């Protein structure tokens, strides 16, 4: 399967702990996006990369959130000092640079903060 | 007011019905319009992609964009129980690098 993959699929953590999620995009896609989706809502944009460069970050991405894509392939999203409000589905998507509106999503990582 | 408004439903129809799903938006800079289907606890799946105004058809699905009214629609013909899912509209502008703005999603149930 050459789609977008995300790990882990589920994560349960206690408030105050740090968590890290991984996204592996479609191999030829040089753009990678992170979105957050809460129950009953559409995904909200968090940040995106072109190759290894992080080009935009949403105001939703507080200082506790950091994303990296060190070699322009997979990406990680880290949340430090998790809060209950961070509980959500974290979605990763990828696209070709010249077709950036055609984004293909992974299955998501569901985070529950207790 | 949200940039993209979508009735959350739920919408329940009998198998074989024609389904109409809609979104309105406020940002006149939006040029790209997408429809995604999302099954429960899965990631969104791209269904249709339209640039600017007009219609696009793909099998049982037809997407329409009316930029003058800031209104987009997705029609599903001969709906099937397997179409039961949440349908999300998404939009973006030329200068936003692919940042998609999503509607809330409409939950659709097609009854056999």
């Amino acid at each position: 399967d050459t789609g977008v993959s995300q790990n882990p699929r589920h994560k349960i953590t206690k408030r105050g702990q740090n968590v890290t999620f991984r996204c592996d995009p479609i191999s030829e896609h040089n753009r990678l996006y992170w979105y957050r989706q809460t129950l009953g809502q559409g995904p909200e944009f968090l940040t995106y990369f072109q190759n290894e460069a992080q080009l935009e970050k949403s105001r939703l991405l507080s200082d506790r959130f950091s994303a990296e894509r060190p070699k322009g392939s997979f990406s990680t999203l880290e949340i430090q000092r998790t809060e209950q409000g961070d509980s959500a589905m974290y979605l990763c998507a990828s696209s070709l640079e010249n077709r950036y509106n055609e984004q293909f999503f992974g299955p998501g990582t569901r985070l529950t903060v207790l | 007011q949200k940039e993209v408004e979508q009735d959350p439903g739920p919408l329940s129809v009998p198998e074989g019905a024609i389904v109409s799903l809609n979104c309105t938006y406020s940002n006149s800079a939006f040029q790209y319009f997408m429809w995604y289907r999302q099954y429960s606890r899965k990631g969104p799946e791209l269904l249709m992609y339209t640039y600017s105004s007009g219609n696009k058809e793909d099998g049982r699905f037809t997407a329409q964009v009316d930029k003058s009214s800031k209104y987009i629609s997705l029609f599903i013909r001969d709906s099937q129980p397997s179409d039961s899912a949440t349908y999300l509209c998404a939009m973006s502008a030329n200068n936003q690098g692919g940042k998609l703005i999503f509607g809330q999603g409409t939950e659709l149930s097609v009854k056999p």
Side-chain angles (χ1 to χ4, degrees), chain B residues 43-77:
Chain B
E45 170 193 1
L46 181 62
L47 279 178
M48 301 286 285
Y49 166 84
T50 309
Y51 172 69
S52 196
S53 285
N55 294 358
K56 186 173 184 179
E57 186 173 324
D58 184 1
R60 297 185 295 111
F61 298 90
T62 300
Q64 288 186 351
V65 175
D66 182 349
K67 290 190 69 180
S68 62
S69 302
K70 297 190 177 69
Y71 186 88
I72 71 169
S73 301
L74 177 71
F75 297 95
I76 307 174
R77 291 183 298 281

Side-chain angles (χ1 to χ4, degrees), chain A residues 57-70:
Chain A
K57 292 195 299 184
S58 165
R59 285 171 294 176
L60 293 174
L61 217 61
S62 76
D63 291 345
R64 297 184 297 105
F65 288 70
S66 62
E68 294 183 342
R69 195 182 183 197

Side-chain angles (χ1 to χ4, degrees), chain B:
Chain B
Q1 182 186 2
K2 293 183 179 180
E3 280 189 283
V4 180
E5 298 279 358
Q6 186 176 8
D7 187 336
L11 179 62
S12 183
V13 301
E15 183 175 356
I18 296 175
V19 176
S20 172
L21 304 165
N22 312 293
C23 289
T24 59
Y25 63 95
S26 57
N27 187 346
S28 58
F30 286 148
Q31 296 273 17
Y32 301 92
F33 304 91
M34 282 66 67
W35 285 95
Y36 283 84
R37 177 173 63 196
Q38 186 173 29
Y39 292 112
S40 181
R41 298 187 176 270
K42 304 288 186 184
E45 170 193 1
L46 181 62
L47 279 178
M48 301 286 285
Y49 166 84
T50 309
Y51 172 69
S52 196
S53 285
N55 294 358
K56 186 173 184 179
E57 186 173 324
D58 184 1
R60 297 185 295 111
F61 298 90
T62 300
Q64 288 186 351
V65 175
D66 182 349
K67 290 190 69 180
S68 62
S69 302
K70 297 190 177 69
Y71 186 88
I72 71 169
S73 301
L74 177 71
F75 297 95
I76 307 174
R77 291 183 298 281
D78 188 24
S79 56
Q80 303 295 310
S82 59
D83 294 328
S84 298
T86 295
Y87 289 79
L88 297 153
C89 62
M91 310 178 187
S92 71
N94 256 335
N95 60 351
Q96 292 194 337
K99 171 184 170 182
L100 300 184
I101 308 299
F102 282 84
Q104 184 177 355
T106 299
E107 183 182 350
L108 172 67
S109 177
V110 181
K111 303 294 187 185

